[in-house]
Coordinates of all heavy atoms in Angstrom, one line a residue:
M559 N -45.7 -10.9 22.0 CA -44.4 -11.4 21.6 C -43.5 -10.6 22.4 O -43.6 -9.4 22.6 CB -44.0 -11.0 20.1 CG -42.8 -11.7 19.7 SD -42.4 -11.3 18.0 CE -43.3 -12.4 17.2
T560 N -42.6 -11.3 23.2 CA -41.6 -10.7 24.1 C -40.3 -10.3 23.4 O -40.1 -10.5 22.2 CB -41.2 -11.7 25.2 OG1 -40.4 -12.8 24.6 CG2 -42.5 -12.2 26.0
T561 N -39.5 -9.6 24.1 CA -38.2 -9.2 23.6 C -37.3 -10.3 23.0 O -36.7 -10.3 22.0 CB -37.5 -8.3 24.6 OG1 -38.3 -7.2 24.9 CG2 -36.3 -7.7 24.0
A562 N -37.4 -11.4 23.9 CA -36.4 -12.6 23.7 C -37.1 -13.2 22.3 O -36.1 -13.7 21.6 CB -36.6 -13.5 24.7
D563 N -38.3 -13.3 22.2 CA -38.8 -13.7 20.9 C -38.5 -12.9 19.6 O -38.2 -13.5 18.6 CB -40.4 -13.9 21.0 CG -40.9 -15.0 22.0 OD1 -40.1 -15.9 22.3 OD2 -42.0 -14.9 22.5
Q564 N -38.4 -11.6 19.9 CA -38.1 -10.9 18.7 C -36.6 -11.1 18.3 O -36.2 -10.9 17.0 CB -38.3 -9.3 19.1 CG -39.8 -9.0 19.2 CD -40.0 -7.6 19.6 OE1 -39.1 -6.8 20.0 NE2 -41.3 -7.2 19.7
E565 N -35.8 -11.3 19.2 CA -34.4 -11.5 18.9 C -34.1 -12.8 18.1 O -33.0 -12.9 17.3 CB -33.6 -11.3 20.1 CG -33.5 -10.1 20.9 CD -32.8 -10.0 22.2 OE1 -32.3 -11.0 22.5 OE2 -32.6 -8.9 22.7
T566 N -35.0 -13.7 18.4 CA -34.7 -15.1 17.7 C -35.7 -15.4 16.6 O -35.8 -16.5 16.2 CB -34.7 -16.3 18.8 OG1 -36.1 -16.2 19.4 CG2 -33.7 -16.0 19.9
T567 N -36.2 -14.4 16.2 CA -37.3 -14.4 15.1 C -36.5 -15.0 13.7 O -35.4 -14.5 13.4 CB -38.0 -13.3 14.7 OG1 -38.4 -12.7 15.8 CG2 -39.1 -13.4 13.6
P568 N -37.0 -16.1 13.1 CA -36.3 -16.6 11.9 C -36.3 -15.7 10.7 O -35.7 -15.8 9.7 CB -36.9 -17.9 11.7 CG -38.3 -17.9 12.3 CD -38.1 -17.0 13.5
D569 N -37.2 -14.7 10.7 CA -37.5 -13.8 9.6 C -36.4 -12.7 9.7 O -36.1 -12.1 8.6 CB -38.8 -13.0 9.7 CG -40.0 -14.1 9.4 OD1 -39.7 -15.2 9.0 OD2 -41.1 -13.8 9.9
A570 N -35.7 -12.5 10.7 CA -34.7 -11.4 10.8 C -33.5 -11.9 10.1 O -32.9 -13.0 10.2 CB -34.3 -11.1 12.2
P571 N -33.0 -11.0 9.2 CA -31.8 -11.3 8.4 C -30.6 -11.4 9.2 O -30.5 -10.5 10.2 CB -31.7 -10.4 7.4 CG -32.5 -9.2 7.8 CD -33.4 -9.6 8.7
E572 N -29.6 -12.1 9.0 CA -28.4 -12.2 9.8 C -27.5 -11.1 9.3 O -27.5 -10.7 8.0 CB -27.7 -13.6 9.7 CG -28.5 -14.7 10.3 CD -27.8 -16.1 10.2 OE1 -26.5 -16.0 9.9 OE2 -28.3 -17.1 10.5
A573 N -26.6 -10.8 10.2 CA -25.6 -9.7 9.8 C -24.7 -10.3 8.8 O -24.2 -11.4 9.0 CB -24.8 -9.2 10.9
P574 N -24.4 -9.6 7.7 CA -23.4 -10.2 6.7 C -22.2 -10.2 7.3 O -21.6 -9.5 8.1 CB -23.5 -9.1 5.5 CG -24.0 -7.9 6.1 CD -24.8 -8.3 7.3
D575 N -21.3 -11.1 6.7 CA -19.9 -11.4 7.1 C -19.0 -10.2 6.7 O -19.1 -10.0 5.6 CB -19.2 -12.7 6.7 CG -17.9 -13.1 7.2 OD1 -17.5 -12.4 8.0 OD2 -17.4 -14.0 6.8
A576 N -18.4 -9.6 7.6 CA -17.7 -8.3 7.2 C -16.5 -8.7 6.2 O -16.3 -7.9 5.3 CB -17.1 -7.8 8.5
G577 N -15.9 -9.9 6.2 CA -14.9 -10.2 5.5 C -15.3 -10.8 4.1 O -14.5 -11.0 3.2
G578 N -16.5 -11.2 4.0 CA -17.0 -11.8 2.7 C -16.4 -13.2 2.7 O -16.0 -13.9 3.6
A579 N -16.2 -13.5 1.4 CA -15.6 -14.9 1.1 C -14.0 -14.9 1.2 O -13.5 -15.0 0.0 CB -16.2 -15.5 -0.1
G580 N -13.5 -14.6 2.2 CA -11.9 -14.5 2.2 C -11.5 -13.1 1.8 O -10.4 -12.9 1.8
G581 N -12.3 -12.2 1.6 CA -11.9 -10.9 1.2 C -11.6 -10.1 2.3 O -11.8 -10.5 3.5
L582 N -10.9 -8.9 2.1 CA -10.7 -7.9 3.1 C -11.6 -6.9 3.3 O -12.2 -6.4 2.3 CB -9.3 -7.3 2.8 CG -8.1 -8.2 2.7 CD1 -6.8 -7.3 2.4 CD2 -7.7 -8.9 4.1
T583 N -11.9 -6.4 4.5 CA -12.8 -5.1 4.7 C -12.0 -4.1 4.2 O -10.7 -4.0 4.1 CB -13.1 -5.0 6.2 OG1 -12.0 -4.8 7.0 CG2 -13.9 -6.4 6.8
P584 N -12.6 -2.9 4.0 CA -12.1 -1.7 3.6 C -10.8 -1.3 4.5 O -9.8 -0.8 4.2 CB -13.1 -0.6 3.4 CG -14.2 -1.3 3.1 CD -14.0 -2.7 3.9
R585 N -11.2 -1.3 5.8 CA -10.2 -1.0 6.8 C -8.9 -1.9 6.8 O -7.8 -1.4 6.9 CB -10.8 -0.9 8.2 CG -9.8 -0.8 9.4 CD -10.4 -0.7 10.6 NE -10.6 0.6 11.0 CZ -11.3 1.1 11.8 NH1 -12.0 0.3 12.6 NH2 -11.4 2.4 12.0
Q586 N -9.1 -3.2 6.7 CA -8.0 -4.1 6.5 C -7.2 -3.9 5.3 O -5.9 -3.9 5.4 CB -8.6 -5.5 6.6 CG -9.0 -6.0 7.9 CD -9.7 -7.3 7.9 OE1 -10.3 -7.7 6.8 NE2 -9.8 -8.1 8.8
A587 N -7.9 -3.6 4.2 CA -7.1 -3.2 3.0 C -6.3 -1.9 3.0 O -5.1 -2.0 2.7 CB -8.1 -3.1 1.8
R588 N -6.9 -1.0 3.8 CA -6.1 0.3 4.0 C -4.9 0.0 4.9 O -3.8 0.4 4.6 CB -6.9 1.3 4.7 CG -7.8 2.0 3.6 CD -8.5 3.3 4.3 NE -9.3 2.9 5.5 CZ -10.6 2.6 5.6 NH1 -11.2 2.7 4.4 NH2 -11.2 2.4 6.6
R589 N -5.1 -0.8 5.9 CA -3.9 -1.1 6.8 C -2.9 -1.9 6.2 O -1.6 -1.7 6.4 CB -4.5 -1.8 8.0 CG -5.2 -0.7 9.0 CD -5.7 -1.5 10.2 NE -6.5 -0.7 11.0 CZ -6.3 -0.1 12.0 NH1 -5.2 -0.4 12.6 NH2 -7.2 0.6 12.7
L590 N -3.3 -2.9 5.3 CA -2.3 -3.8 4.6 C -1.6 -2.8 3.7 O -0.4 -2.9 3.5 CB -3.1 -4.9 3.8 CG -2.3 -5.7 3.0 CD1 -1.3 -6.5 3.8 CD2 -3.1 -6.6 2.1
R591 N -2.2 -1.9 2.7 CA -1.6 -1.0 1.9 C -0.6 -0.2 2.6 O 0.5 0.0 2.0 CB -2.5 -0.3 1.1 CG -2.1 0.4 -0.1 CD -1.6 -0.5 -1.2 NE -2.5 -1.4 -1.5 CZ -2.3 -2.7 -1.6 NH1 -1.1 -3.2 -1.5 NH2 -3.3 -3.4 -1.9
I592 N -0.9 0.3 3.7 CA -0.1 1.2 4.5 C 1.1 0.4 5.0 O 2.3 1.0 4.9 CB -0.8 1.8 5.8 CG1 -1.8 2.8 5.2 CG2 0.2 2.6 6.7 CD1 -2.6 3.4 6.2
A593 N 1.1 -0.8 5.4 CA 2.0 -1.6 5.8 C 3.1 -1.9 4.8 O 4.3 -1.9 4.8 CB 1.6 -3.0 6.4
V594 N 2.4 -2.4 3.5 CA 3.2 -2.6 2.3 C 4.1 -1.5 2.0 O 5.3 -1.6 1.7 CB 2.4 -3.3 1.3 CG1 3.2 -3.3 -0.2 CG2 1.9 -4.6 1.5
A595 N 3.5 -0.2 1.9 CA 4.0 0.9 1.3 C 5.2 1.3 2.4 O 6.3 1.8 2.0 CB 3.2 2.1 1.2
T596 N 5.0 1.1 3.7 CA 6.1 1.5 4.7 C 7.2 0.5 4.6 O 8.5 1.0 4.6 CB 5.4 1.4 6.1 OG1 4.2 2.3 6.2 CG2 6.5 1.8 7.1
V597 N 7.0 -0.7 4.3 CA 8.1 -1.7 4.3 C 8.9 -1.4 3.0 O 10.1 -1.4 3.0 CB 7.5 -3.2 4.2 CG1 8.6 -4.2 3.6 CG2 7.0 -3.5 5.5
L598 N 8.1 -1.1 1.9 CA 8.9 -0.7 0.7 C 9.7 0.7 0.8 O 10.8 0.7 0.3 CB 7.8 -0.5 -0.5 CG 7.4 -1.9 -1.1 CD1 6.3 -1.5 -2.2 CD2 8.6 -2.5 -1.8
L599 N 9.1 1.5 1.6 CA 9.9 2.8 1.9 C 11.2 2.5 2.6 O 12.1 3.0 2.2 CB 8.9 3.7 2.7 CG 9.4 5.1 3.1 CD1 9.5 6.0 1.7 CD2 8.5 5.7 4.0
V600 N 11.2 1.7 3.6 CA 12.3 1.3 4.3 C 13.3 0.6 3.5 O 14.5 0.9 3.4 CB 11.9 0.4 5.6 CG1 13.2 0.0 6.2 CG2 11.0 1.4 6.5
A601 N 12.8 -0.5 2.7 CA 13.6 -1.1 1.7 C 14.2 -0.3 0.7 O 15.5 -0.4 0.4 CB 12.8 -2.3 1.1
L602 N 13.5 0.6 0.3 CA 14.2 1.6 -0.8 C 15.3 2.6 -0.1 O 16.3 2.8 -0.8 CB 13.1 2.5 -1.4 CG 12.2 1.8 -2.4 CD1 11.0 2.6 -2.9 CD2 13.0 1.4 -3.8
A603 N 15.1 2.9 1.2 CA 16.0 3.7 1.9 C 17.3 2.9 2.0 O 18.4 3.4 1.9 CB 15.4 4.2 3.1
V604 N 17.1 1.6 2.4 CA 18.3 0.8 2.6 C 19.1 0.7 1.2 O 20.3 0.7 1.1 CB 17.9 -0.6 3.1 CG1 19.1 -1.6 3.0 CG2 17.5 -0.5 4.5
V605 N 18.3 0.3 0.1 CA 18.9 0.1 -1.2 C 19.6 1.5 -1.6 O 20.7 1.5 -2.3 CB 17.9 -0.2 -2.2 CG1 18.4 -0.1 -3.6 CG2 17.4 -1.6 -2.0
L606 N 18.9 2.6 -1.4 CA 19.5 3.9 -1.7 C 20.9 4.1 -0.9 O 21.9 4.4 -1.5 CB 18.6 5.1 -1.3 CG 19.2 6.5 -1.3 CD1 19.4 6.7 -2.9 CD2 18.1 7.5 -1.0
V607 N 21.0 3.8 0.3 CA 22.2 3.8 1.1 C 23.3 2.9 0.5 O 24.4 3.3 0.3 CB 22.0 3.6 2.6 CG1 23.2 3.5 3.3 CG2 21.2 4.6 3.2
L608 N 23.0 1.8 0.0 CA 23.9 0.8 -0.3 C 24.4 1.3 -1.9 O 25.5 1.1 -2.2 CB 23.3 -0.5 -0.5 CG 23.0 -1.3 0.8 CD1 22.1 -2.7 0.5 CD2 24.2 -1.6 1.6
R609 N 23.4 1.7 -2.6 CA 23.9 2.2 -3.9 C 24.7 3.5 -3.8 O 25.7 3.6 -4.5 CB 22.6 2.5 -4.7 CG 21.7 1.4 -5.1 CD 22.2 0.6 -6.2 NE 22.1 1.3 -7.4 CZ 22.3 0.7 -8.6 NH1 22.8 -0.5 -8.6 NH2 22.1 1.3 -9.7
L610 N 24.5 4.4 -2.8 CA 25.3 5.4 -2.7 C 26.6 5.2 -2.2 O 27.6 5.9 -2.5 CB 24.6 6.6 -1.8 CG 23.5 7.4 -2.4 CD1 22.9 8.3 -1.4 CD2 24.0 8.0 -3.5
A611 N 26.8 4.0 -1.4 CA 28.0 3.6 -0.9 C 29.0 3.1 -2.0 O 30.2 3.3 -1.9 CB 27.8 2.5 0.2
S612 N 28.2 2.5 -3.0 CA 29.2 2.1 -4.1 C 29.5 3.1 -5.1 O 30.6 3.1 -5.7 CB 28.4 0.9 -4.8 OG 27.2 1.3 -5.5
R613 N 28.6 4.0 -5.4 CA 28.8 5.2 -6.3 C 27.9 6.3 -6.0 O 26.6 6.1 -5.7 CB 28.7 4.8 -7.8 CG 27.2 4.6 -8.3 CD 27.1 4.2 -9.6 NE 27.1 2.6 -9.6 CZ 26.2 1.9 -10.0 NH1 25.0 2.5 -10.6 NH2 26.1 0.7 -9.9
T614 N 28.5 7.4 -6.1 CA 27.6 8.6 -5.9 C 27.2 9.2 -7.2 O 28.0 9.5 -7.9 CB 28.4 9.8 -4.9 OG1 29.5 10.0 -5.8 CG2 28.7 9.2 -3.7
S615 N 25.9 9.4 -7.2 CA 25.3 9.9 -8.5 C 24.0 10.6 -8.1 O 23.2 10.2 -7.3 CB 25.0 8.7 -9.4 OG 24.2 9.2 -10.5
V616 N 23.7 11.8 -8.8 CA 22.5 12.5 -8.7 C 21.2 11.6 -9.1 O 20.3 11.5 -8.7 CB 22.6 13.8 -9.2 CG1 21.2 14.4 -9.2 CG2 23.6 14.7 -8.6
L617 N 21.6 10.9 -10.2 CA 20.5 9.9 -10.8 C 20.1 8.9 -9.8 O 18.9 8.6 -9.8 CB 21.1 9.4 -12.1 CG 20.1 8.8 -13.1 CD1 19.0 9.9 -13.4 CD2 20.8 8.4 -14.3
V618 N 21.0 8.3 -9.1 CA 20.7 7.3 -8.1 C 19.7 8.0 -7.0 O 18.7 7.4 -6.7 CB 21.8 6.7 -7.4 CG1 21.5 5.9 -6.2 CG2 22.7 5.9 -8.5
V619 N 20.1 9.1 -6.6 CA 19.3 9.8 -5.6 C 18.0 10.1 -6.1 O 16.9 10.0 -5.6 CB 20.0 11.0 -5.0 CG1 19.1 11.9 -4.0 CG2 21.4 10.7 -4.3
G620 N 17.9 10.6 -7.4 CA 16.8 10.9 -8.0 C 15.7 9.8 -8.1 O 14.5 9.8 -7.8
V621 N 16.3 8.7 -8.7 CA 15.4 7.5 -8.9 C 14.8 6.9 -7.6 O 13.6 6.8 -7.3 CB 16.2 6.4 -9.6 CG1 15.4 5.0 -9.7 CG2 16.5 6.8 -11.1
Y622 N 15.7 6.6 -6.6 CA 15.2 6.1 -5.4 C 14.5 7.2 -4.6 O 13.6 6.8 -3.7 CB 16.2 5.6 -4.5 CG 16.8 4.2 -5.2 CD1 18.0 4.2 -6.0 CD2 16.1 3.1 -5.1 CE1 18.4 3.1 -6.6 CE2 16.5 2.0 -5.7 CZ 17.6 1.9 -6.5 OH 18.1 0.8 -7.1
G623 N 14.8 8.4 -4.8 CA 14.2 9.5 -4.0 C 12.7 9.7 -4.4 O 11.8 9.8 -3.6
L624 N 12.4 9.5 -5.7 CA 11.2 9.7 -6.3 C 10.2 8.4 -6.0 O 9.2 8.4 -5.6 CB 11.2 9.8 -7.7 CG 11.5 11.2 -8.3 CD1 11.7 11.1 -9.8 CD2 10.7 12.2 -7.9
A625 N 11.0 7.2 -5.7 CA 10.3 6.0 -5.4 C 9.9 6.0 -3.9 O 8.7 5.7 -3.5 CB 11.2 4.7 -5.7
M626 N 10.7 6.7 -3.1 CA 10.4 7.0 -1.7 C 9.2 8.0 -1.5 O 8.4 7.7 -0.8 CB 11.6 7.2 -0.9 CG 12.7 6.1 -0.9 SD 14.2 6.7 -0.1 CE 13.8 7.3 1.5
I627 N 9.3 9.0 -2.3 CA 8.2 9.9 -2.4 C 6.9 9.3 -2.7 O 5.8 9.5 -2.0 CB 8.6 11.1 -3.1 CG1 9.6 12.0 -2.5 CG2 7.2 12.0 -3.5 CD1 10.2 13.1 -3.4
L628 N 7.0 8.4 -3.7 CA 5.7 7.8 -4.2 C 5.2 6.8 -3.1 O 4.0 6.7 -2.9 CB 6.0 6.9 -5.4 CG 4.8 6.2 -5.9 CD1 3.9 7.1 -6.5 CD2 5.3 5.2 -7.0
C629 N 6.0 6.1 -2.2 CA 5.6 5.4 -1.1 C 4.8 6.2 -0.1 O 3.8 5.9 0.4 CB 6.8 4.6 -0.6 SG 7.3 3.3 -1.5
G630 N 5.4 7.5 0.1 CA 4.7 8.3 1.0 C 3.3 8.7 0.5 O 2.3 8.9 1.4
V631 N 3.2 8.9 -0.7 CA 2.0 9.4 -1.3 C 0.8 8.2 -1.2 O -0.2 8.4 -0.9 CB 2.3 9.8 -2.9 CG1 0.7 10.0 -3.6 CG2 3.0 11.1 -2.9
V632 N 1.4 7.0 -1.4 CA 0.6 5.9 -1.3 C 0.0 5.7 0.1 O -1.0 5.4 0.3 CB 1.3 4.5 -1.8 CG1 0.5 3.3 -1.5 CG2 1.5 4.6 -3.3
I633 N 1.0 5.9 1.0 CA 0.5 5.8 2.4 C -0.6 6.8 2.7 O -1.6 6.5 3.4 CB 1.7 6.0 3.4 CG1 2.6 4.9 3.4 CG2 1.3 6.3 4.8 CD1 4.0 5.1 3.9
E634 N -0.5 8.0 2.2 CA -1.4 9.1 2.5 C -2.8 8.7 1.8 O -3.8 8.8 2.2 CB -1.0 10.5 2.1 CG 0.0 11.1 3.0 CD -0.8 11.3 4.4 OE1 -1.9 11.9 4.4 OE2 -0.1 10.9 5.3
L635 N -2.6 8.3 0.5 CA -3.9 7.9 -0.3 C -4.6 6.7 0.6 O -5.9 6.8 0.6 CB -3.5 7.4 -1.7 CG -3.1 8.6 -2.7 CD1 -2.6 7.9 -3.9 CD2 -4.4 9.3 -2.9
S636 N -3.9 5.8 1.1 CA -4.5 4.7 1.8 C -5.2 5.2 3.1 O -6.3 4.7 3.4 CB -3.5 3.7 2.1 OG -3.1 3.0 0.9
R637 N -4.5 6.2 3.7 CA -5.2 6.7 4.9 C -6.5 7.5 4.6 O -7.4 7.4 5.5 CB -4.2 7.6 5.6 CG -3.0 7.0 6.3 CD -2.2 8.0 7.1 NE -2.9 8.8 8.0 CZ -2.9 10.1 8.2 NH1 -1.9 10.8 7.5 NH2 -3.6 10.7 9.1
H638 N -6.7 7.9 3.4 CA -7.9 8.7 3.0 C -8.7 7.7 2.3 O -9.7 8.3 1.6 CB -7.4 9.9 2.3 CG -6.7 11.0 3.1 ND1 -7.5 11.7 4.1 CD2 -5.3 11.3 3.1 CE1 -6.4 12.5 4.6 NE2 -5.2 12.2 4.1
G639 N -8.6 6.5 2.2 CA -9.4 5.6 1.6 C -9.4 5.4 0.1 O -10.2 4.7 -0.6
R640 N -8.3 5.8 -0.5 CA -8.1 5.5 -1.8 C -7.3 4.4 -2.3 O -6.1 4.5 -2.7 CB -7.4 7.0 -2.6 CG -8.3 8.1 -2.4 CD -9.5 8.0 -3.1 NE -10.3 9.2 -3.1 CZ -11.5 9.3 -3.5 NH1 -12.2 8.2 -3.8 NH2 -12.3 10.3 -3.4
T641 N -7.5 3.1 -1.7 CA -6.7 2.0 -1.7 C -6.4 1.6 -3.1 O -5.3 1.1 -3.5 CB -7.4 1.0 -0.8 OG1 -7.7 1.5 0.4 CG2 -6.5 -0.3 -0.6
R642 N -7.5 1.5 -4.0 CA -7.2 0.9 -5.3 C -6.3 1.9 -6.1 O -5.3 1.4 -6.7 CB -8.6 0.9 -6.1 CG -9.4 -0.1 -5.6 CD -10.6 -0.5 -6.4 NE -11.5 -1.3 -5.9 CZ -12.8 -1.0 -5.8 NH1 -13.3 0.0 -6.3 NH2 -13.6 -1.8 -5.1
L643 N -6.4 3.1 -5.9 CA -5.5 4.1 -6.6 C -4.0 4.0 -6.1 O -3.1 3.9 -6.9 CB -6.0 5.6 -6.4 CG -5.2 6.6 -7.1 CD1 -5.0 6.4 -8.5 CD2 -5.7 7.9 -6.7
G644 N -4.0 3.8 -4.8 CA -2.6 3.5 -4.1 C -2.1 2.3 -4.6 O -0.8 2.3 -4.8
T645 N -2.9 1.2 -4.8 CA -2.3 0.0 -5.3 C -1.7 0.1 -6.7 O -0.7 -0.3 -6.8 CB -3.5 -1.1 -5.3 OG1 -4.0 -1.2 -4.1 CG2 -2.9 -2.5 -5.7
W646 N -2.4 0.7 -7.6 CA -2.1 0.9 -9.0 C -0.7 1.9 -9.0 O 0.2 1.5 -9.7 CB -3.1 1.5 -9.8 CG -4.1 0.6 -10.2 CD1 -5.4 0.4 -9.6 CD2 -3.9 -0.4 -11.1 NE1 -6.0 -0.5 -10.3 CE2 -5.1 -1.2 -11.2 CE3 -2.9 -0.9 -12.0 CZ2 -5.3 -2.3 -12.1 CZ3 -3.0 -1.9 -12.7 CH2 -4.4 -2.6 -12.9
L647 N -0.8 2.9 -8.0 CA 0.4 3.8 -8.1 C 1.7 3.0 -7.5 O 2.7 3.2 -8.1 CB 0.2 5.0 -7.3 CG -0.7 6.2 -8.0 CD1 -0.9 7.2 -7.0 CD2 0.1 6.6 -9.1
L648 N 1.4 2.3 -6.5 CA 2.6 1.6 -5.9 C 3.2 0.6 -6.9 O 4.4 0.4 -7.0 CB 2.1 1.0 -4.6 CG 3.1 0.3 -3.7 CD1 4.2 1.2 -3.2 CD2 2.5 -0.5 -2.6
G649 N 2.3 -0.3 -7.5 CA 2.7 -1.2 -8.5 C 3.4 -0.5 -9.6 O 4.6 -1.0 -10.0
G650 N 2.9 0.3 -10.3 CA 3.4 1.1 -11.4 C 4.7 1.9 -11.0 O 5.7 2.0 -11.8
G651 N 4.9 2.6 -9.9 CA 6.0 3.2 -9.4 C 7.2 2.3 -9.0 O 8.2 2.5 -9.4
L652 N 6.8 1.1 -8.6 CA 7.8 0.0 -8.3 C 8.5 -0.4 -9.7 O 9.7 -0.6 -9.7 CB 7.3 -1.1 -7.5 CG 8.3 -2.1 -6.9 CD1 9.4 -1.5 -6.1 CD2 7.6 -3.2 -6.3
V653 N 7.6 -0.7 -10.6 CA 8.0 -1.1 -11.9 C 8.9 0.0 -12.6 O 10.0 -0.3 -13.2 CB 6.9 -1.6 -12.8 CG1 7.2 -1.8 -14.2 CG2 6.2 -2.9 -12.2
A654 N 8.4 1.1 -12.5 CA 9.2 2.3 -12.9 C 10.5 2.4 -12.4 O 11.5 2.7 -13.1 CB 8.3 3.6 -13.0
A655 N 10.5 2.4 -11.2 CA 11.8 2.4 -10.4 C 12.7 1.3 -10.8 O 14.0 1.6 -11.0 CB 11.6 2.6 -8.9
L656 N 12.3 0.1 -10.8 CA 13.2 -1.0 -11.1 C 13.7 -0.9 -12.7 O 14.8 -1.2 -12.9 CB 12.5 -2.3 -11.0 CG 12.1 -2.7 -9.5 CD1 11.3 -4.0 -9.4 CD2 13.4 -2.9 -8.8
A657 N 12.8 -0.4 -13.5 CA 13.1 -0.3 -15.0 C 14.2 1.0 -15.0 O 15.2 0.8 -15.7 CB 11.9 0.1 -15.7
A658 N 14.0 2.0 -14.2 CA 15.0 3.1 -14.3 C 16.3 2.7 -13.8 O 17.4 3.1 -14.2 CB 14.5 4.3 -13.6
D659 N 16.3 1.9 -12.7 CA 17.4 1.3 -12.1 C 18.2 0.5 -13.2 O 19.4 0.6 -13.3 CB 17.1 0.5 -10.9 CG 18.5 0.1 -10.1 OD1 19.5 0.9 -10.2 OD2 18.4 -0.8 -9.4
W660 N 17.5 -0.4 -13.9 CA 18.1 -1.3 -14.8 C 18.7 -0.6 -16.0 O 19.7 -0.9 -16.6 CB 17.2 -2.3 -15.1 CG 17.8 -3.5 -16.0 CD1 18.8 -4.2 -15.6 CD2 17.2 -3.9 -17.4 NE1 18.9 -5.2 -16.7 CE2 18.0 -4.9 -17.7 CE3 16.2 -3.3 -18.0 CZ2 17.8 -5.5 -18.9 CZ3 15.9 -4.0 -19.3 CH2 16.7 -5.0 -19.7
L661 N 17.8 0.4 -16.6 CA 18.1 1.0 -17.8 C 19.1 2.3 -17.7 O 19.8 2.5 -18.5 CB 16.8 1.4 -18.5 CG 15.9 0.3 -19.0 CD1 14.6 0.8 -19.5 CD2 16.6 -0.5 -20.1
L662 N 18.7 3.1 -16.7 CA 19.5 4.4 -16.6 C 20.6 4.5 -15.9 O 21.6 5.1 -16.1 CB 18.5 5.4 -15.9 CG 17.2 5.7 -16.7 CD1 16.3 6.8 -16.0 CD2 17.5 6.2 -18.2
L663 N 20.7 3.6 -14.7 CA 22.0 3.7 -13.9 C 23.0 2.8 -14.4 O 22.6 1.6 -14.6 CB 21.5 3.1 -12.5 CG 20.5 4.3 -11.9 CD1 20.0 3.7 -10.5 CD2 21.0 5.6 -11.8
P664 N 24.3 3.2 -14.5 CA 25.3 2.4 -15.0 C 25.7 1.3 -14.0 O 25.5 1.3 -12.8 CB 26.4 3.4 -15.3 CG 26.1 4.5 -14.4 CD 24.7 4.5 -14.3

């Protein structure tokens, strides 16, 4: 058997599709989570500036500051492969920030 025959042998399993059935690879999921957290970080910074322009409050800075810190934590978690934990923290933190904005801030 020659080398060419060994490469085309029907018994050799094919390499699995990296993406699966429409899913993301772990690297793609990490990059997507980093991109989403970065966009939210910038959006929260813009909202913080707009809210501070209308009223200055330590509570406003606290709520949006903590949400921005959470985005940074999610970026670091995603860089280190903790994408699922980052997803839950990002979702829960965003809901908590919106609830705090709606309930706590006048």
Side-chain angles (χ1 to χ4, degrees):
M559 191 183 277
T560 65
T561 306
D563 291 335
Q564 290 175 352
E565 291 176 4
T566 59
T567 308
D569 296 336
E572 294 182 13
D575 187 8
L582 297 175
T583 64
R585 171 175 266 166
Q586 290 172 332
R588 282 191 301 268
R589 290 180 188 247
L590 178 65
R591 188 68 50 230
I592 289 170
V594 168
T596 304
V597 167
L598 280 175
L599 182 66
V600 171
L602 286 170
V604 169
V605 170
L606 176 62
V607 168
L608 293 175
R609 296 283 282 188
L610 285 176
S612 65
R613 76 184 89 116
T614 57
S615 170
V616 175
L617 197 55
V618 171
V619 174
V621 168
Y622 288 103
L624 287 175
M626 291 170 64
I627 290 170
L628 181 68
C629 286
V631 168
V632 169
I633 290 170
E634 281 301 309
L635 284 172
S636 295
R637 286 184 57 222
H638 293 290
R640 303 289 183 199
T641 308
R642 288 186 195 138
L643 178 61
T645 302
W646 283 104
L647 281 176
L648 190 63
L652 185 61
V653 167
L656 291 174
D659 185 32
W660 184 60
L661 294 173
L662 298 176
L663 301 176

